[in-house]
Amino acid sequence: MSTTKTYTLVGADGRPHSSPVKGEWGGHRGSRIYGRLDCPEALRAIARGGYVTHRVFFADEATAIAAGYRPCGACCKGRYQAWKAAREKGEPWTPW
């Protein structure tokens, strides 16, 4: 009998897969926003009883971006500002 813990992460293709490693970033499937696991806005939403059924996890930030998610304006302010400015100019955005 195996006792290895597995986690469900979303891949760059937007599809879920099993991983032995916990994701480093979280996201909301409906709004397609990603952020830190300790994001104060996400934690407040979870405490109110919402968000959890739509929550997804990513191995890293690059995977979240490749899956079509944008940065959170609360916990990733600098990235969000850069994403928003690039979008207004019609330019592609990457945090690197």
Side-chain angles (χ1 to χ4, degrees):
M1 176 163 42
S2 176
T3 58
T4 304
K5 174 95 173 135
T6 60
Y7 301 89
T8 301
L9 304 181
V10 174
D13 61 359
R15 298 174 65 150
H17 69 278
S18 293
S19 171
V21 180
K22 186 176 180 179
E24 295 180 7
W25 293 84
H28 186 271
R29 184 180 301 115
S31 59
R32 302 195 58 86
I33 296 172
Y34 77 89
R36 296 188 334 242
L37 295 177
D38 65 346
C39 175
E41 290 297 320
L43 295 176
R44 274 193 284 279
I46 291 167
R48 288 190 308 266
Y51 194 86
V52 176
T53 58
H54 301 287
R55 197 160 196 211
V56 295
F57 299 93
F58 302 97
D60 52 42
E61 186 176 17
T63 303
I65 294 166
Y69 286 68
R70 69 150 174 95
C72 173
C75 67
C76 301
K77 286 183 182 179
R79 288 177 176 92
Y80 172 75
Q81 295 289 337
W83 171 84
K84 187 176 176 182
R87 184 171 181 190
E88 288 172 355
K89 294 176 186 176
E91 299 173 350
W93 172 82
T94 59
W96 308 280

